[in-house]
Amino acid sequence: MTRRLLLTRLGWLLPSFLVITAVTFAVAHLAPGDPLQLSEDSVTNQAVIEDARRQLELDRPLLHRYGIWLGRLVRFDLGASVTDRRPVLDKIGEALPRTVVVSGLALLLAVAASIALGTFLARRTDRLSGALSASLALASGVPSFWVAVLLLLVFATPRGVEWFPLQGLASSPEAGLFDRLWHLVLPVACLALPTTAMLARYVREGVAAALEQDFIVAARSRGLDERRLLLRHALPNALVPVITIVGLQLPHVFAGSVVIERVFGIQGMGLLAYESIGTRDYPVVMGVSVVMAAVTLGSMFLTDLAAVVADPRARLPGSDR
Amino acid sequence: MLLVVVASTSCSRCGARAVPDAGAGPDRAWLEGRPTPELGLVSRTGGTLTLRAAVEPTGFSRIDDRFAEGTMARYTTGTIYETLARVDPSKPDGALLPWLARSWALTDRSLTLELLHDVGFHDGSAFDAADVRATVAAVLEAKNPTVGLRAALGPISEVVVETPDRVVVRYSRGPSPFEVRALLGGVPAMPSEALAGPYDVAPIHQHPIGTGPFRFVRFTPGDRLILERVANHRAPALVDAIHVRFVKDDTIAAQLWEKGEFDLMTRIPPAHWRAIEHEPWAWKNYRRFRIDENAYAWIGWNLKRPVFADVRVRRALAMLYPAEVISKAVELGLERRTTCPFWIDSDSCDPEVRPIPFDPARAKALLDEAGWKDADGDGVREQGGVRLEFAFLMPTTSARLGKVLPLFQEQLKNAGVSMTMEPVDGAQLMSRMRAHDFDAAALSWSSPDALSDQWEIFHSSQAEGGKNYVQYAGADELLDRIRTASEPAERKRLERELHRRLFADQPYLFLTARPALDAVKNRVHGLTPSLAWYELAKGWVDP
């Protein structure tokens, strides 16, 4: 059953991808606005605008354009940006690593911190745990731009302690590893905070529930020490829903955050998507969408796979999971 | 403005301002943003000049419409690129100074240029007449997106290379002074080899090659543009490198500025300019420049809309614009009211023309006189079944219009005029204005040159495909005469007449001349603000 389910899901990936890209293509191209008439400084002559429109094939019917775009996609050709004529792959190639580093580190930090925090909170019912739980609830509800600006004001400006840099991912293009890591601290912390708050609550609930399961009680009665009981038995059970949520968070690692990237001056995928939508740079919009669709579908599939691996019940004969 | 230019010109040859007394507080020059003489300093070479830029380029070839954004033109012209001639910073509306052209001679239909010898491009190739021809040819090629410059150059019929140092530009009719000026001061020298092949994807758009005192090193999107000094340049720069840092967010830029990360902080928002007036970190470490640019903001009325057809209505709307309140609340007293499409301090503006004063009572009387009355008592005037109402097209990102328009709207409402705000994103705004799909809208025009040709903005032929978005047609003959007036005195007389005509017809409600608000660190010297911005090659820094 499990294999069949996974094969079915695998089979749905291509149609899902086509639907996502088709809808994105239609919405992007049907939105009002013109990439060739963005400012009073840009092209003013109608004949040249029409010529450029023909060159970019913007004068063709929408379905025809989508077909052309799909044909190029098969050859891994995402086209060139309307605004600067640079290959879309180059632009994504520049932005994606920045976003993956920042968001990936943030997710790793969030997972590690949430497991530690959630496990700690599941076993405590004192004031400290109450205060921490309340703080987590608060942290998950605070807007990220507010946290970003607050972190900058406190830790990066002359009004605060100026421990960290304000902008970018390096002081200069020749900056060393330590400088680059130092630049990552605030954006990573800012991105990790809400995810940590959310995941920690799942871990706390999961561990607390697992600790009350019969097999845990039985293991405890056999004299298994609490540390081993928690780490070997309760925690793996509690992590199954967490794995699903982390899997669903994976697209964010590649998509980036417009707010965080803007505030911290990181030219990543979030800003690339935001700016290309604003300038109606259709090839870039579609390039970013392809990456996002692939990552989202891929991570959903991997999440299913991981859940099967992590949950022994899913591997039992006759399981319908 | 004239005083500012004169003062700044003199200080470019002298030296440093006195170090402020820490206990004294900011001086008047700081508060007013006035350049002060730098006395007794000896220039030195070396160091890096770091500037803040609020706008990031998409490309660097100066001839392309896509990359014609004014701010980046400033960072690359005079640094990477040089033109045949340049504006004299001390006389922005005067004659051009020789640059790559040693001299030029204009006859009836041809312009002969004598070029400098021994000038090299950054790629090692020599600059000669063939490069001028190739660059002009790239601009004139109808398939290339170089419309802005092509339109400015006028009817060039051919460019003939007579010798490596001499090139003749021939016209199909006698060129106007604007067209000659556009060729001399607006076309950068680019190597002919770099322009060969498909123009659209030419590498020079992203890796500029010029003849200027700085060569392009690297552009990192989202971070910075790095230029380095060309050691063997005929007029070498003083600093080793220029770093243009792109910080789009004004709040973050202000924090970085306070941390001392910019030698030249540009585009300070008016509110921040006022907020840091008495901040010791600012006035002790920086000099502020409030530069009157050749830029003005306007509200345009779509003249084909029935509600704006009568000039009396347009004048009444001008009387309802609460300029003084907006000056205090929004512009913070930093902008000068103007009624003129030319540089506010130029002789082309008639000083006798004064802004229409805020006067709701007269506005109501004028609307009554024009036949717009509120007969049905619903609070909005009407005439022949047409209500006096319109939509104001505005970009969603404009915080300024977000403050100005509600103040204007309130006054209009009190006078029986209904205005609604129609926010659209940037990608829609210009396409709708070009298609005349708007009632009223606001923009600003700017030029780095004190001389500006208003033909493209106000001539009726430019309503389709040009910049005459409001479809004005009341000064065609005058605009044609200005274009062909060869004598500066005659041209200025005609431009004053145009100023008066536009004021009388009110196709625009002219608002204010916008200043640029910049600050320069005290360790930086030799940077003198002018209409053509700063000559970065003349800037130098203390160790």
Side-chain angles (χ1 to χ4, degrees), chain B residues 417-434:
Chain B
V417 182
S418 170
M419 181 188 90
T420 52
M421 286 173 265
E422 188 182 0
V424 293
D425 74 353
Q428 282 192 66
L429 183 78
M430 290 315 301
S431 52
R432 285 193 53 184
M433 287 189 74
R434 288 201 174 100

Side-chain angles (χ1 to χ4, degrees), chain B residues 353-399:
Chain B
V353 178
R354 310 300 307 160
I356 295 173
F358 175 64
D359 191 342
R362 273 192 63 203
K364 288 176 190 171
L366 205 52
L367 289 171
D368 286 341
E369 183 191 316
W372 293 91
K373 292 178 180 169
D374 182 15
D376 58 11
D378 67 350
V380 179
R381 293 166 185 266
E382 61 276 327
Q383 185 193 65
V386 178
R387 284 159 59 88
L388 189 46
E389 61 186 3
F390 64 92
F392 203 112
L393 195 67
M394 61 175 286
T396 48
T397 49
S398 175

Side-chain angles (χ1 to χ4, degrees), chain B residues 209-403:
Chain B
I209 303 166
T211 58
F214 290 94
R215 71 163 56 85
F216 172 86
V217 176
R218 188 185 305 138
F219 167 54
T220 311
D223 183 22
R224 70 189 70 199
L225 164 70
I226 299 178
L227 311 179
E228 72 176 11
R229 183 162 68 108
V230 176
N232 58 352
H233 193 267
R234 66 186 188 286
L238 295 169
V239 292
D240 287 338
I242 294 174
H243 286 208
V244 181
R245 290 187 56 187
F246 304 109
V247 185
K248 297 171 193 171
D249 190 297
D250 282 336
T251 310
I252 299 297
Q255 297 291 345
L256 286 167
W257 176 31
E258 189 173 346
K259 287 181 84 167
E261 296 200 14
F262 302 128
D263 294 313
L264 172 55
M265 171 68 180
T266 63
R267 300 282 155 192
I268 302 169
H272 199 64
W273 175 273
R274 289 293 187 212
I276 52 101
E277 261 173 2
H278 296 279
E279 290 281 350
W281 70 264
W283 63 262
K284 284 180 187 172
N285 298 310
Y286 288 86
R287 308 189 300 280
R288 292 199 307 184
F289 297 148
R290 181 177 157 191
I291 312 152
D292 281 318
E293 297 185 305
N294 184 9
Y296 65 92
W298 51 270
I299 291 173
W301 316 113
N302 187 341
L303 301 180
K304 298 292 182 194
R305 296 282 195 266
V307 290
F308 300 128
D310 189 331
V311 67
R312 288 173 295 185
V313 172
R314 304 196 294 271
R315 293 192 75 83
L317 295 177
M319 289 171 192
L320 293 167
Y321 184 78
E324 276 191 36
V325 173
I326 288 166
S327 172
K328 283 179 189 161
V330 182
E331 297 153 8
L332 306 177
L334 292 169
E335 298 179 13
R336 293 162 67 190
R337 283 198 76 185
T338 185
T339 58
C340 182
F342 302 103
W343 176 37
I344 192 168
D345 289 313
S346 78
D347 293 337
S348 302
C349 296
D350 186 340
E352 299 300 314
V353 178
R354 310 300 307 160
I356 295 173
F358 175 64
D359 191 342
R362 273 192 63 203
K364 288 176 190 171
L366 205 52
L367 289 171
D368 286 341
E369 183 191 316
W372 293 91
K373 292 178 180 169
D374 182 15
D376 58 11
D378 67 350
V380 179
R381 293 166 185 266
E382 61 276 327
Q383 185 193 65
V386 178
R387 284 159 59 88
L388 189 46
E389 61 186 3
F390 64 92
F392 203 112
L393 195 67
M394 61 175 286
T396 48
T397 49
S398 175
R400 178 195 176 90
L401 283 176
K403 294 175 189 169

Side-chain angles (χ1 to χ4, degrees), chain B residues 113-177:
Chain B
L113 299 150
E114 303 289 343
L115 306 179
L116 284 182
H117 303 289
D118 302 325
V119 173
F121 284 105
H122 302 148
D123 64 355
S125 61
F127 162 75
D128 62 24
D131 299 307
V132 175
R133 182 176 59 185
T135 311
V136 174
V139 175
L140 297 181
E141 172 55 55
K143 288 180 183 167
N144 293 344
T146 50
V147 181
L149 197 48
R150 186 155 68 239
L153 290 184
I156 294 176
S157 55
E158 62 175 337
V159 181
V160 179
V161 174
E162 291 201 336
T163 70
D165 299 335
R166 180 183 297 153
V167 62
V168 180
V169 181
R170 298 216 168 95
Y171 295 84
S172 57
R173 60 155 167 77
S176 75

Side-chain angles (χ1 to χ4, degrees), chain B residues 304 433-436 455-472:
Chain B
K304 298 292 182 194
M433 287 189 74
R434 288 201 174 100
H436 312 298
W455 193 84
E456 198 183 4
I457 295 173
F458 293 111
H459 198 277
S460 63
S461 67
Q462 299 302 298
E464 300 307 323
K467 293 179 177 173
N468 186 356
Y469 308 134
V470 297
Q471 306 180 82
Y472 177 61

Side-chain angles (χ1 to χ4, degrees), chain B residues 7-18:
Chain B
S8 60
T9 306
S10 61
C11 74
S12 69
R13 288 189 290 272
C14 36
R17 148 188 211 253

